[in-house]
Amino acid sequence: MDGMNVAQNLLDSILLFGNQQGARDYFLMANEYPIFQIGSESRTFPGETPKITPDHLKAIVEETIGKSALLKENLQKKLYTEFSHVVQGVGRYRFHVGYQRSHFDISIRRLLDEVPSFEELNLPGDEIKDLAELHNGLVLISGAADNGKSTTLAALVDHINQTKPGRRITIVESPREFFFRNKQCYIKQKEIGRDTISYNDAGRSARRENTNVLVFGEIFSEDAPSIRAAIQASNSALVFATMHANSASAAINGLIYSLPDVEREESRLTLSQLLRAVIYQILVKTYDETLWPCLEILRNNYMVSSLIRNKECTDDGKPFKIDEYLFRNGRAEGMKSLFHALKDLAEWGIIPPEEAIKYAREKRDMELILLHGHFSGITEEVS
């Protein structure tokens, strides 16, 4: 018990010190000083913080996981697990526990106490707020890790919480990212490993409870049961979910091809009917080096539904027809390709032209527009 107390006190002191330095992320490795991520810089503070021993790491893991049998099983079988943890008097944190060189390896992220608004996040609220008006269907927020997907999702949910009286919202996460207080809605929050076994079980329970809005913190393309649960639940509820993908169309593709062959055709048809929108989000640097969200927004209309249904979103390495449609025609249909989103931010003076070129899929066309002031044959149609 004394060892546990020492480890907990050490963890508390590291997190308190990190808070004072403005750190958001922490990395604890055996026989190394704690690493603090401060802005874009990683730093250690020898003298202010001690080296972490393998025994310290073991005690911290045992203390923070607590009595959760599922988290312990995940760590044993998958060799990693994730969970949220409250450090009294310090704050709420997300823990990722894995292994390195046969010792525990811990990554920690400080979680925000309040859900930021669209304005605070610099999100284009006018372009996505209407998603909160939907009564059923599936809305995906996709992108790479650490690009703000969960925060954008939280802002959408909080907007519903403030503006849609009486809705019942169930939020399922692994781990829990934000704490929501009831405002206009009634909210249940469940964390996998502590409050429920899986997204599938949580989704089934939410349907029995007549939930209006179901939020899946993150579903993975290799996790067919979670994807199946999200699609099924979207028949009767508005379902939000995040997932890793490198474009809006790739997110759709990931859903379809995650399922067994025998289910794909039926799920493709169902998805073509129940998908409402896909947001693909990246964070780009402004002139003063702060991060700004850039959103590709795909909405399901007759043409997109037809492209999904007729297998134009394929897994054979060929260009996605959905990408082509979004690039050429999306703006007229209330959508926005990544190309247009980057171009707008550059032309509005928010990001440097070089940043837009860096992240554009059509780099040459973006360069022609922003640096040379003329168009190629393609960009004449989309400018």
Side-chain angles (χ1 to χ4, degrees):
M1 181 63 68
D2 289 343
M4 297 285 283
N5 288 338
V6 169
Q8 186 63 57
N9 290 338
L10 175 61
L11 177 63
D12 291 357
S13 67
I14 290 170
L15 297 177
L16 277 170
F17 180 79
N19 287 354
Q20 295 168 2
Q21 302 300 317
R24 179 82 189 276
D25 294 284
Y26 306 76
F27 307 94
L28 308 182
M29 296 181 287
N31 304 314
E32 300 287 348
Y33 291 105
I35 299 172
F36 302 82
Q37 186 76 21
I38 303 171
S40 60
E41 181 184 2
S42 296
R43 295 187 60 188
T44 60
F45 293 88
E48 299 287 346
T49 54
K51 283 191 175 181
I52 308 298
T53 69
D55 287 341
H56 286 152
L57 291 171
K58 181 180 178 182
I60 289 171
V61 171
E62 290 175 353
E63 174 71 15
T64 52
I65 284 181
K67 297 180 180 180
S68 173
L70 184 57
L71 293 178
K72 293 177 181 178
E73 182 182 357
N74 283 343
L75 188 56
Q76 182 180 14
K77 291 184 176 180
K78 299 180 180 179
L79 301 182
Y80 77 91
T81 192
E82 287 188 310
F83 53 92
S84 63
H85 182 69
V86 176
V87 180
Q88 295 299 327
V90 182
R92 295 189 311 112
Y93 295 84
R94 181 183 72 196
F95 279 65
H96 177 97
V97 177
Y99 291 92
Q100 183 207 201
R101 299 177 181 176
S102 301
H103 297 304
F104 282 118
D105 177 76
I106 305 175
S107 299
I108 305 170
R109 166 162 287 189
R110 186 178 184 183
L111 302 177
L112 300 177
D113 294 325
E114 298 292 335
V115 180
S117 65
F118 291 116
E119 292 74 22
E120 290 170 322
L121 295 170
N122 296 314
L123 286 168
D126 292 344
E127 298 178 17
I128 60 176
K129 279 182 181 178
D130 65 297
L131 298 176
E133 305 291 334
L134 299 169
H135 293 283
N136 76 328
L138 178 62
V139 176
L140 285 175
I141 303 176
S142 63
D146 295 328
N147 272 267
K149 301 187 300 295
S150 296
T151 309
T152 296
L153 175 59
L156 276 164
V157 173
D158 197 55
H159 180 69
I160 296 173
N161 192 20
Q162 294 184 61
T163 60
K164 302 298 171 187
R167 290 199 179 184
R168 294 175 298 282
I169 302 174
T170 298
I171 302 169
V172 190
E173 296 175 285
S174 177
R176 193 174 75 180
E177 293 272 356
F178 291 92
F179 177 75
F180 290 86
R181 295 175 178 84
N182 290 346
K183 296 175 182 176
Q184 298 291 320
C185 300
Y186 306 102
I187 299 178
K188 291 185 178 182
Q189 284 188 258
K190 299 184 178 183
E191 181 172 324
I192 293 177
R194 289 188 166 157
D195 305 308
T196 187
I197 295 175
S198 67
Y199 284 124
N200 194 32
D201 282 358
R204 187 182 302 114
S205 176
R207 290 197 296 275
R208 286 198 297 267
E209 295 168 354
N210 200 24
T211 293
N212 302 117
V213 181
L214 179 59
V215 181
F216 285 168
E218 182 159 11
I219 56 178
F220 297 92
S221 58
E222 66 272 17
D223 186 2
S226 296
I227 290 173
R228 193 180 297 116
I231 295 174
Q232 290 173 349
S234 65
N235 274 286
S236 56
L238 173 58
V239 178
F240 291 95
T242 68
M243 69 180 300
H244 288 277
N246 59 14
S247 71
S249 64
I252 299 172
N253 195 56
L255 287 180
I256 294 171
Y257 284 90
S258 68
L259 299 170
D261 292 350
V262 294
E263 298 180 35
R264 277 183 199 159
E265 292 312 306
E266 181 179 354
S267 296
R268 185 190 297 277
L269 177 61
T270 303
L271 193 63
S272 73
Q273 297 169 341
L274 292 176
L275 182 70
R276 298 293 179 257
V278 185
I279 295 171
Y280 169 67
Q281 177 168 320
I282 62 173
L283 295 178
V284 292
K285 288 185 179 181
T286 64
Y287 280 95
D288 62 2
E289 295 289 306
T290 59
L291 295 176
W292 195 283
C294 179
L295 275 58
E296 177 173 76
I297 303 169
L298 175 73
R299 296 175 181 273
N300 194 10
N301 59 13
Y302 175 81
M303 181 59 69
V304 173
S305 177
S306 177
L307 291 172
I308 295 172
R309 190 171 56 251
N310 294 314
K311 303 182 184 180
E312 297 292 349
C313 185
T314 62
D315 195 35
D316 58 5
K318 295 179 181 178
F320 294 118
K321 291 292 182 66
I322 288 178
D323 283 342
E324 182 179 340
Y325 171 76
L326 180 60
F327 186 77
R328 293 180 179 275
N329 305 102
R331 199 157 207 167
E333 301 290 338
M335 309 182 208
K336 185 176 282 189
S337 68
L338 181 65
F339 182 92
H340 281 106
L342 289 165
K343 175 174 171 285
D344 286 348
L345 291 179
E347 292 182 339
W348 294 338
I350 295 172
I351 65 173
E354 293 76 14
E355 189 77 354
I357 295 167
K358 175 182 176 181
Y359 287 100
R361 301 183 189 112
E362 306 83 6
K363 296 184 186 299
R364 179 57 178 163
D365 295 303
M366 187 69 76
E367 183 179 352
L368 286 170
I369 288 178
L370 296 182
L371 297 185
H372 305 292
H374 59 86
F375 308 98
S376 70
I378 296 177
T379 52
E380 283 177 355
E381 301 176 34
V382 301
S383 60

PDB file of all heavy atoms in Angstrom, residues 38 40-41 70-71 81 90 96 109 130 150 161 184 224 234 241 250 302-304 309 369:
ATOM      1  N   ILE A  38       4.407  20.546 -24.501  1.00  0.00           N
ATOM      2  CA  ILE A  38       3.983  21.924 -24.273  1.00  0.00           C
ATOM      3  C   ILE A  38       3.918  22.604 -25.636  1.00  0.00           C
ATOM      4  O   ILE A  38       4.937  22.900 -26.251  1.00  0.00           O
ATOM      5  CB  ILE A  38       4.955  22.653 -23.337  1.00  0.00           C
ATOM      6  CG1 ILE A  38       5.072  21.892 -21.999  1.00  0.00           C
ATOM      7  CG2 ILE A  38       4.514  24.095 -23.107  1.00  0.00           C
ATOM      8  CD1 ILE A  38       6.165  22.403 -21.089  1.00  0.00           C
ATOM      9  N   SER A  40       3.959  22.574 -29.348  1.00  0.00           N
ATOM     10  CA  SER A  40       4.533  21.608 -30.290  1.00  0.00           C
ATOM     11  C   SER A  40       5.879  21.079 -29.812  1.00  0.00           C
ATOM     12  O   SER A  40       6.538  20.330 -30.527  1.00  0.00           O
ATOM     13  CB  SER A  40       4.709  22.265 -31.667  1.00  0.00           C
ATOM     14  OG  SER A  40       5.574  23.390 -31.574  1.00  0.00           O
ATOM     15  N   GLU A  41       6.280  21.436 -28.595  1.00  0.00           N
ATOM     16  CA  GLU A  41       7.601  21.076 -28.088  1.00  0.00           C
ATOM     17  C   GLU A  41       7.495  20.026 -26.983  1.00  0.00           C
ATOM     18  O   GLU A  41       6.661  20.129 -26.079  1.00  0.00           O
ATOM     19  CB  GLU A  41       8.300  22.327 -27.538  1.00  0.00           C
ATOM     20  CG  GLU A  41       9.704  22.070 -26.997  1.00  0.00           C
ATOM     21  CD  GLU A  41      10.321  23.313 -26.379  1.00  0.00           C
ATOM     22  OE1 GLU A  41       9.640  24.356 -26.337  1.00  0.00           O
ATOM     23  OE2 GLU A  41      11.480  23.220 -25.937  1.00  0.00           O
ATOM     24  N   LEU A  70     -12.496  -5.694 -17.140  1.00  0.00           N
ATOM     25  CA  LEU A  70     -12.377  -5.585 -18.597  1.00  0.00           C
ATOM     26  C   LEU A  70     -11.106  -4.849 -18.993  1.00  0.00           C
ATOM     27  O   LEU A  70     -10.418  -5.246 -19.937  1.00  0.00           O
ATOM     28  CB  LEU A  70     -13.600  -4.878 -19.175  1.00  0.00           C
ATOM     29  CG  LEU A  70     -13.663  -4.766 -20.704  1.00  0.00           C
ATOM     30  CD1 LEU A  70     -13.580  -6.140 -21.357  1.00  0.00           C
ATOM     31  CD2 LEU A  70     -14.925  -4.059 -21.145  1.00  0.00           C
ATOM     32  N   LEU A  71     -10.767  -3.769 -18.284  1.00  0.00           N
ATOM     33  CA  LEU A  71      -9.533  -3.052 -18.593  1.00  0.00           C
ATOM     34  C   LEU A  71      -8.318  -3.935 -18.355  1.00  0.00           C
ATOM     35  O   LEU A  71      -7.360  -3.928 -19.135  1.00  0.00           O
ATOM     36  CB  LEU A  71      -9.441  -1.776 -17.751  1.00  0.00           C
ATOM     37  CG  LEU A  71     -10.460  -0.672 -18.052  1.00  0.00           C
ATOM     38  CD1 LEU A  71     -10.260   0.497 -17.101  1.00  0.00           C
ATOM     39  CD2 LEU A  71     -10.357  -0.212 -19.500  1.00  0.00           C
ATOM     40  N   THR A  81      -4.479  -0.688 -23.127  1.00  0.00           N
ATOM     41  CA  THR A  81      -5.839  -0.337 -22.751  1.00  0.00           C
ATOM     42  C   THR A  81      -5.918   1.171 -22.586  1.00  0.00           C
ATOM     43  O   THR A  81      -4.900   1.846 -22.394  1.00  0.00           O
ATOM     44  CB  THR A  81      -6.283  -1.051 -21.460  1.00  0.00           C
ATOM     45  OG1 THR A  81      -7.690  -0.910 -21.289  1.00  0.00           O
ATOM     46  CG2 THR A  81      -5.561  -0.490 -20.233  1.00  0.00           C
ATOM     47  N   VAL A  90      -6.518  17.833  -9.155  1.00  0.00           N
ATOM     48  CA  VAL A  90      -5.597  18.068 -10.277  1.00  0.00           C
ATOM     49  C   VAL A  90      -6.353  18.191 -11.594  1.00  0.00           C
ATOM     50  O   VAL A  90      -6.185  19.134 -12.349  1.00  0.00           O
ATOM     51  CB  VAL A  90      -4.540  16.943 -10.372  1.00  0.00           C
ATOM     52  CG1 VAL A  90      -3.559  17.230 -11.506  1.00  0.00           C
ATOM     53  CG2 VAL A  90      -3.790  16.796  -9.042  1.00  0.00           C
ATOM     54  N   HIS A  96      -3.481   6.084 -21.735  1.00  0.00           N
ATOM     55  CA  HIS A  96      -3.217   4.982 -22.664  1.00  0.00           C
ATOM     56  C   HIS A  96      -2.055   4.194 -22.075  1.00  0.00           C
ATOM     57  O   HIS A  96      -0.942   4.723 -21.946  1.00  0.00           O
ATOM     58  CB  HIS A  96      -2.865   5.487 -24.059  1.00  0.00           C
ATOM     59  CG  HIS A  96      -2.531   4.376 -25.015  1.00  0.00           C
ATOM     60  ND1 HIS A  96      -3.439   3.855 -25.895  1.00  0.00           N
ATOM     61  CD2 HIS A  96      -1.387   3.667 -25.192  1.00  0.00           C
ATOM     62  CE1 HIS A  96      -2.867   2.884 -26.598  1.00  0.00           C
ATOM     63  NE2 HIS A  96      -1.626   2.759 -26.181  1.00  0.00           N
ATOM     64  N   ARG A 109      -3.261  12.331 -21.393  1.00  0.00           N
ATOM     65  CA  ARG A 109      -3.734  13.607 -21.945  1.00  0.00           C
ATOM     66  C   ARG A 109      -4.699  14.256 -20.968  1.00  0.00           C
ATOM     67  O   ARG A 109      -5.643  13.608 -20.487  1.00  0.00           O
ATOM     68  CB  ARG A 109      -4.406  13.431 -23.294  1.00  0.00           C
ATOM     69  CG  ARG A 109      -5.211  14.666 -23.735  1.00  0.00           C
ATOM     70  CD  ARG A 109      -5.504  14.686 -25.199  1.00  0.00           C
ATOM     71  NE  ARG A 109      -4.310  14.984 -25.977  1.00  0.00           N
ATOM     72  CZ  ARG A 109      -4.325  15.230 -27.289  1.00  0.00           C
ATOM     73  NH1 ARG A 109      -5.457  15.203 -27.956  1.00  0.00           N
ATOM     74  NH2 ARG A 109      -3.202  15.478 -27.927  1.00  0.00           N
ATOM     75  N   ASP A 130     -26.670  22.603 -38.449  1.00  0.00           N
ATOM     76  CA  ASP A 130     -27.931  21.994 -38.867  1.00  0.00           C
ATOM     77  C   ASP A 130     -27.941  20.484 -38.656  1.00  0.00           C
ATOM     78  O   ASP A 130     -29.014  19.873 -38.649  1.00  0.00           O
ATOM     79  CB  ASP A 130     -28.216  22.312 -40.339  1.00  0.00           C
ATOM     80  CG  ASP A 130     -27.183  21.692 -41.260  1.00  0.00           C
ATOM     81  OD1 ASP A 130     -26.005  22.061 -41.153  1.00  0.00           O
ATOM     82  OD2 ASP A 130     -27.560  20.838 -42.085  1.00  0.00           O
ATOM     83  N   SER A 150     -12.838  14.444 -31.618  1.00  0.00           N
ATOM     84  CA  SER A 150     -13.657  14.301 -30.405  1.00  0.00           C
ATOM     85  C   SER A 150     -14.154  15.651 -29.905  1.00  0.00           C
ATOM     86  O   SER A 150     -15.278  15.755 -29.398  1.00  0.00           O
ATOM     87  CB  SER A 150     -12.844  13.604 -29.304  1.00  0.00           C
ATOM     88  OG  SER A 150     -12.499  12.293 -29.679  1.00  0.00           O
ATOM     89  N   ASN A 161     -27.557  19.817 -26.625  1.00  0.00           N
ATOM     90  CA  ASN A 161     -27.886  19.913 -25.204  1.00  0.00           C
ATOM     91  C   ASN A 161     -28.427  21.298 -24.833  1.00  0.00           C
ATOM     92  O   ASN A 161     -29.250  21.434 -23.923  1.00  0.00           O
ATOM     93  CB  ASN A 161     -26.633  19.604 -24.376  1.00  0.00           C
ATOM     94  CG  ASN A 161     -26.911  19.393 -22.903  1.00  0.00           C
ATOM     95  OD1 ASN A 161     -28.039  19.110 -22.503  1.00  0.00           O
ATOM     96  ND2 ASN A 161     -25.896  19.524 -22.092  1.00  0.00           N
ATOM     97  N   GLN A 184     -30.606  21.323 -21.566  1.00  0.00           N
ATOM     98  CA  GLN A 184     -31.962  21.127 -22.072  1.00  0.00           C
ATOM     99  C   GLN A 184     -32.288  19.648 -22.280  1.00  0.00           C
ATOM    100  O   GLN A 184     -33.437  19.286 -22.499  1.00  0.00           O
ATOM    101  CB  GLN A 184     -32.137  21.872 -23.399  1.00  0.00           C
ATOM    102  CG  GLN A 184     -31.966  23.374 -23.314  1.00  0.00           C
ATOM    103  CD  GLN A 184     -33.075  24.044 -22.545  1.00  0.00           C
ATOM    104  OE1 GLN A 184     -34.239  23.676 -22.666  1.00  0.00           O
ATOM    105  NE2 GLN A 184     -32.714  25.037 -21.742  1.00  0.00           N
ATOM    106  N   ALA A 224     -16.075  -4.690 -36.634  1.00  0.00           N
ATOM    107  CA  ALA A 224     -17.364  -4.856 -37.310  1.00  0.00           C
ATOM    108  C   ALA A 224     -18.554  -4.741 -36.362  1.00  0.00           C
ATOM    109  O   ALA A 224     -19.563  -4.112 -36.711  1.00  0.00           O
ATOM    110  CB  ALA A 224     -17.400  -6.195 -38.058  1.00  0.00           C
ATOM    111  N   SER A 234     -28.950   3.867 -36.150  1.00  0.00           N
ATOM    112  CA  SER A 234     -29.304   5.086 -36.890  1.00  0.00           C
ATOM    113  C   SER A 234     -30.661   5.000 -37.565  1.00  0.00           C
ATOM    114  O   SER A 234     -31.158   5.994 -38.095  1.00  0.00           O
ATOM    115  CB  SER A 234     -28.214   5.398 -37.928  1.00  0.00           C
ATOM    116  OG  SER A 234     -28.148   4.395 -38.926  1.00  0.00           O
ATOM    117  N   ALA A 241     -20.589   9.486 -34.614  1.00  0.00           N
ATOM    118  CA  ALA A 241     -19.437   8.649 -34.304  1.00  0.00           C
ATOM    119  C   ALA A 241     -18.193   9.258 -34.936  1.00  0.00           C
ATOM    120  O   ALA A 241     -18.273   9.970 -35.939  1.00  0.00           O
ATOM    121  CB  ALA A 241     -19.638   7.226 -34.824  1.00  0.00           C
ATOM    122  N   ALA A 250     -13.280   7.960 -47.743  1.00  0.00           N
ATOM    123  CA  ALA A 250     -12.567   6.832 -47.142  1.00  0.00           C
ATOM    124  C   ALA A 250     -13.263   6.366 -45.869  1.00  0.00           C
ATOM    125  O   ALA A 250     -13.215   5.184 -45.520  1.00  0.00           O
ATOM    126  CB  ALA A 250     -11.116   7.212 -46.850  1.00  0.00           C
ATOM    127  N   TYR A 302     -29.082  12.782 -53.289  1.00  0.00           N
ATOM    128  CA  TYR A 302     -29.430  11.729 -54.252  1.00  0.00           C
ATOM    129  C   TYR A 302     -28.202  11.180 -54.955  1.00  0.00           C
ATOM    130  O   TYR A 302     -28.054   9.956 -55.119  1.00  0.00           O
ATOM    131  CB  TYR A 302     -30.424  12.280 -55.286  1.00  0.00           C
ATOM    132  CG  TYR A 302     -30.742  11.288 -56.390  1.00  0.00           C
ATOM    133  CD1 TYR A 302     -31.673  10.275 -56.183  1.00  0.00           C
ATOM    134  CD2 TYR A 302     -30.075  11.354 -57.616  1.00  0.00           C
ATOM    135  CE1 TYR A 302     -31.942   9.346 -57.184  1.00  0.00           C
ATOM    136  CE2 TYR A 302     -30.341  10.440 -58.610  1.00  0.00           C
ATOM    137  CZ  TYR A 302     -31.275   9.431 -58.401  1.00  0.00           C
ATOM    138  OH  TYR A 302     -31.527   8.510 -59.388  1.00  0.00           O
ATOM    139  N   MET A 303     -27.278  12.061 -55.365  1.00  0.00           N
ATOM    140  CA  MET A 303     -26.106  11.609 -56.105  1.00  0.00           C
ATOM    141  C   MET A 303     -25.148  10.818 -55.223  1.00  0.00           C
ATOM    142  O   MET A 303     -24.652   9.760 -55.624  1.00  0.00           O
ATOM    143  CB  MET A 303     -25.380  12.807 -56.719  1.00  0.00           C
ATOM    144  CG  MET A 303     -24.151  12.432 -57.535  1.00  0.00           C
ATOM    145  SD  MET A 303     -24.535  11.304 -58.915  1.00  0.00           S
ATOM    146  CE  MET A 303     -25.457  12.407 -59.978  1.00  0.00           C
ATOM    147  N   VAL A 304     -24.884  11.298 -54.027  1.00  0.00           N
ATOM    148  CA  VAL A 304     -23.983  10.577 -53.120  1.00  0.00           C
ATOM    149  C   VAL A 304     -24.574   9.218 -52.762  1.00  0.00           C
ATOM    150  O   VAL A 304     -23.881   8.201 -52.748  1.00  0.00           O
ATOM    151  CB  VAL A 304     -23.710  11.412 -51.853  1.00  0.00           C
ATOM    152  CG1 VAL A 304     -22.924  10.601 -50.826  1.00  0.00           C
ATOM    153  CG2 VAL A 304     -22.946  12.683 -52.205  1.00  0.00           C
ATOM    154  N   ARG A 309     -24.552   3.329 -53.274  1.00  0.00           N
ATOM    155  CA  ARG A 309     -25.368   2.155 -53.613  1.00  0.00           C
ATOM    156  C   ARG A 309     -24.804   1.401 -54.806  1.00  0.00           C
ATOM    157  O   ARG A 309     -24.843   0.164 -54.856  1.00  0.00           O
ATOM    158  CB  ARG A 309     -26.807   2.618 -53.891  1.00  0.00           C
ATOM    159  CG  ARG A 309     -27.824   1.509 -54.011  1.00  0.00           C
ATOM    160  CD  ARG A 309     -29.237   2.070 -54.055  1.00  0.00           C
ATOM    161  NE  ARG A 309     -29.429   3.038 -55.141  1.00  0.00           N
ATOM    162  CZ  ARG A 309     -29.574   4.348 -54.950  1.00  0.00           C
ATOM    163  NH1 ARG A 309     -29.522   4.864 -53.727  1.00  0.00           N
ATOM    164  NH2 ARG A 309     -29.769   5.161 -55.981  1.00  0.00           N
ATOM    165  N   ILE A 369      -3.523  28.392 -58.024  1.00  0.00           N
ATOM    166  CA  ILE A 369      -4.502  29.386 -57.592  1.00  0.00           C
ATOM    167  C   ILE A 369      -3.911  30.388 -56.607  1.00  0.00           C
ATOM    168  O   ILE A 369      -4.038  31.600 -56.765  1.00  0.00           O
ATOM    169  CB  ILE A 369      -5.726  28.689 -56.950  1.00  0.00           C
ATOM    170  CG1 ILE A 369      -6.558  27.994 -58.025  1.00  0.00           C
ATOM    171  CG2 ILE A 369      -6.604  29.683 -56.203  1.00  0.00           C
ATOM    172  CD1 ILE A 369      -7.748  27.241 -57.495  1.00  0.00           C
TER     173      ILE A 369
END
